[in-house]
Amino acid sequence: MPGQPIVFIILAVIAVATALGTIISRNAIYSALLLVFNFATIAVLYLVLGAPFIALSQITVYAGSIMVLFLFVIMLLGAERLPMSDQLRWQPWVAIPLGLILAGEFAYNIFRWTAEAAAVAQPPANFGAPQAIGEMLFTRFVLPFEVTGVILLTATIGAIFLARSEKLSPGQEIRRTRAVSSAAPAGAPSGDEKRVPAEEHEEAIKAK
Amino acid sequence: MVPASYYLALSAVLFVIGILGVLLRRNALVLFMSLELMFNAGNLAFVTFARMFGNLEGQLIVFFVMAVAAAEVAVGLALIVAIFRSRQSIDLDELHNMKG
């Protein structure tokens, strides 16, 4: 049943329609929600293709965390409705033909090189099961797995560094005001009051 | 059974839609979403190839791609937030004076 053409056709239509809606929609929130729909549809396609672990990773990582991050940022910036920009009017006339050329190349190569491997064969029973994936992940691919951890840590630190506020935190402000007040004389906090005794001093020197 | 080339064709269509999104939209957030769309199209092709050749390594590559995509989104969205704070806009056409 899962490999029936009707299932594929329905899922493919939904995936393409939601993808088009993502790039067409003017409201960034609608784009994000359509993209979540698209990710869920592709997760079902992964299930049909015999990849249950990847399908559920797709739901949790993409639809669960990445898109929540997107929605957080959209709502944080209040940037859900942006006016269309009028600059670069010539761009669609170049981008759409180039996209069609790329699609033509894809079509030519796909149907040229995969014509012999026509039907998707029935996989072995444990194909794509979490146990099989985990065994490969922690034996042959353990170094890429560790590198992935380092990449995620670096990205976390980088994101915190980039998104931190430019304003001083309260602790830094206290330290800075203490430094300023200890450098300046205690009775003369502002510049004007400081200048007045100095001028008086100069006038006193001239008078002498 | 559905031929494998259909899955690859769907992946190609999604990839082209993602490319068009990057080329046509000027909103940095939508551009990032188009990037995710392209990641997904590539992942779908990888899973299809894993199924075609009965080789599990394709699925592992998809796993790594997901991890790197998560890192990329975290850094990219932090950059967008930083740019929005300094310019009050995430329209990419208004960032042209960053070049040079």
Side-chain angles (χ1 to χ4, degrees):
Chain A
M1 175 58 193
Q4 294 296 313
I6 183 71
V7 177
F8 173 78
I9 289 169
I10 292 172
L11 289 175
V13 168
I14 293 174
V16 172
T18 50
L20 280 174
T22 301
I23 69 163
I24 288 173
S25 170
R26 288 280 160 267
N27 191 328
I29 293 209
Y30 292 160
S31 289
L33 293 178
L34 284 169
L35 196 56
V36 172
F37 200 178
N38 187 29
F39 287 161
T41 314
I42 290 180
V44 178
L45 278 174
Y46 289 165
L47 274 181
V48 173
L49 281 169
F53 176 72
I54 296 298
L56 292 180
S57 304
Q58 166 100 355
I59 296 280
T60 50
V61 174
Y62 269 112
S65 60
I66 290 183
M67 293 319 294
V68 167
L69 206 57
F70 266 106
L71 288 173
F72 269 151
V73 171
I74 291 169
M75 293 177 181
L76 176 74
L77 302 185
E80 65 266 21
R81 284 177 190 279
L82 284 179
M84 266 310 270
S85 87
D86 288 335
Q87 300 179 22
L88 298 178
R89 280 180 182 281
W90 50 271
Q91 207 166 6
W93 307 110
V94 181
I96 291 174
L98 283 177
L100 290 178
I101 290 173
L102 183 66
E105 281 180 30
F106 273 138
Y108 175 72
N109 282 308
I110 286 170
F111 289 104
R112 182 175 164 211
W113 293 111
T114 62
E116 60 269 17
V120 175
Q122 194 64 33
N126 281 334
F127 188 72
Q131 190 186 357
I133 299 258
E135 275 180 16
M136 283 184 80
L137 207 55
F138 288 105
T139 53
R140 281 183 56 202
F141 289 87
V142 68
L143 181 63
F145 186 69
E146 300 292 338
V147 171
T148 305
V150 175
I151 288 173
L152 285 172
L153 176 66
T154 314
T156 311
I157 295 171
I160 292 171
F161 178 75
L162 284 170
R164 80 194 193 290
S165 176
E166 289 297 323
K167 286 182 231 159
L168 296 174
S169 64
Q172 281 173 319
E173 262 175 42
I174 289 171
R175 250 176 277 139
R176 183 159 296 188
T177 47
R178 267 183 201 156
V180 167
S181 59
S182 65
S190 79
D192 288 337
E193 289 177 273
K194 237 195 290 182
R195 209 186 307 135
V196 175
E199 282 170 3
E200 284 175 0
H201 186 62
E202 279 178 14
E203 284 172 4
I205 290 171
K206 280 176 190 170
K208 280 179 185 174
Chain B
M1 296 297 284
V2 181
S5 53
Y6 285 19
Y7 288 99
L8 295 179
L10 174 63
S11 142
V13 168
L14 291 177
F15 192 86
V16 170
I17 292 174
I19 289 246
L20 287 179
V22 169
L23 290 178
L24 293 177
R25 294 301 303 271
R26 299 288 89 197
N27 184 339
L29 283 166
V30 178
L31 190 137
F32 259 88
M33 290 182 209
S34 306
L35 280 182
E36 297 305 310
L37 214 54
M38 286 196 278
F39 272 124
N40 256 286
N43 285 348
L44 184 60
F46 270 122
V47 172
T48 308
F49 282 129
R51 175 77 181 262
M52 266 174 75
F53 298 109
N55 194 339
L56 216 49
E57 288 174 13
Q59 296 191 9
L60 277 176
I61 290 175
V62 171
F63 181 76
F64 291 129
V65 168
M66 277 181 192
V68 175
E72 170 256 340
V73 163
V75 175
L77 288 178
L79 277 173
I80 288 179
V81 169
I83 289 171
F84 187 83
R85 273 200 190 125
S86 69
R87 305 177 169 262
Q88 305 302 314
S89 165
I90 50 170
D91 194 317
L92 292 175
D93 282 337
E94 294 178 9
L95 301 180
H96 56 81
N97 52 2
M98 280 173 72
K99 73 184 173 191

